């Protein structure tokens, strides 16, 4: 049983590595390592929450091939990023740069958090305090007083 769990965990962890097909892998290990590093930083435009290194989509495969072609042609990592961004925009980057066109991407989570805190504060202040009910009627209060006096008299 324990062995089966370890095998299953190994298969799950190895699943993203299956995305890069054997015919895509470069013969030069240094170039391949650079290609894998770049591929982990580029977003799959089909999956949107995966890097092209992890995605099996056709477009991700095409982007992996483009990255490897550019590296084989002698481009630097920065030149490869610029080339891909020029074709697909900043959205292709898993970590887009902070600039005026991406400010909403970076500011939205903080803005939503602040709005949520303000909303909770307003709700908390506007809510009505619970009414304090006098749980005893006059008749019950008189009976309680009589019992307490009788107890003190003993």
């Amino acid at each position: 049983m324990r062995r089966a769990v370890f095998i299953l965990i190994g298969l799950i962890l190895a699943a993203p590595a299956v995305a890069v097909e054997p015919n895509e892998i470069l013969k030069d290990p240094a170039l391949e390592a650079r290609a894998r590093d770049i591929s982990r930083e580029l977003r799959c435009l089909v999956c949107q929450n995966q890097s092209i290194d992890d995605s099996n989509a056709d477009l991700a495969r095409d982007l992996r091939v483009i990255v490897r072609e550019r590296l084989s042609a002698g481009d630097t990592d920065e030149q490869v990023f610029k080339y891909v961004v020029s074709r697909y925009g900043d959205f292709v980057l898993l970590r887009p740069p902070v600039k005026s066109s991406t400010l909403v991407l970076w500011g939205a989570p903080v803005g939503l958090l602040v709005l949520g805190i303000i909303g909770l504060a307003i709700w908390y202040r506007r809510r009505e305090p619970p009414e304090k009910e006098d749980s005893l009627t006059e008749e019950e209060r008189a009976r309680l007083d009589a019992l307490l006096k009788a107890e003190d008299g003993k």
Side-chain angles (χ1 to χ4, degrees):
M1 179 65 178
R2 186 180 240 184
R3 178 184 262 181
V5 170
F6 284 123
I7 290 172
L8 183 63
I9 291 171
L11 289 173
I12 290 171
L13 293 176
V18 177
V20 178
E21 298 173 10
N23 62 347
E24 295 174 24
I25 298 174
L26 296 172
K27 292 180 182 173
D28 182 1
L31 276 180
E32 180 60 26
R34 285 177 54 204
R36 295 297 292 262
D37 288 341
I38 292 171
S39 295
R40 286 185 194 103
E41 296 295 320
L42 296 175
R43 178 188 320 272
C44 173
L45 299 170
V46 175
C47 308
Q48 296 187 4
N49 286 330
Q50 284 184 315
S51 69
I52 63 170
D53 195 54
D54 298 335
S55 175
N56 288 324
D58 290 337
L59 182 60
R61 182 192 177 287
D62 294 343
L63 284 170
R64 287 192 303 266
V65 169
I66 288 171
V67 167
R68 284 165 173 77
E69 286 174 355
R70 302 296 293 189
L71 288 174
S72 295
D75 286 1
T76 64
D77 294 1
E78 187 64 32
Q79 288 172 324
V80 173
F81 280 117
K82 284 183 180 179
Y83 177 79
V84 174
V85 168
S86 71
R87 293 184 75 191
Y88 297 100
D90 286 329
F91 184 74
V92 77
L93 300 173
L94 282 172
R95 290 184 282 162
V98 178
K99 56 186 185 181
S100 62
S101 62
T102 61
L103 200 55
V104 173
L105 290 173
W106 290 102
V110 174
L112 289 174
L113 180 65
V114 169
L115 286 175
I117 291 171
I118 291 171
L120 281 174
I122 290 171
W123 172 80
Y124 186 75
R125 285 187 174 190
R126 286 189 179 176
R127 71 184 178 110
E128 295 180 18
E131 293 181 20
K132 293 187 177 183
E133 295 181 22
D134 194 12
S135 58
L136 299 177
T137 63
E138 288 297 322
E139 182 180 311
E140 292 170 333
R141 185 173 299 283
R143 185 168 176 231
L144 181 60
D145 287 341
L147 288 172
L148 289 173
K149 283 181 186 176
E151 185 71 27
D152 287 340
K154 287 187 178 181

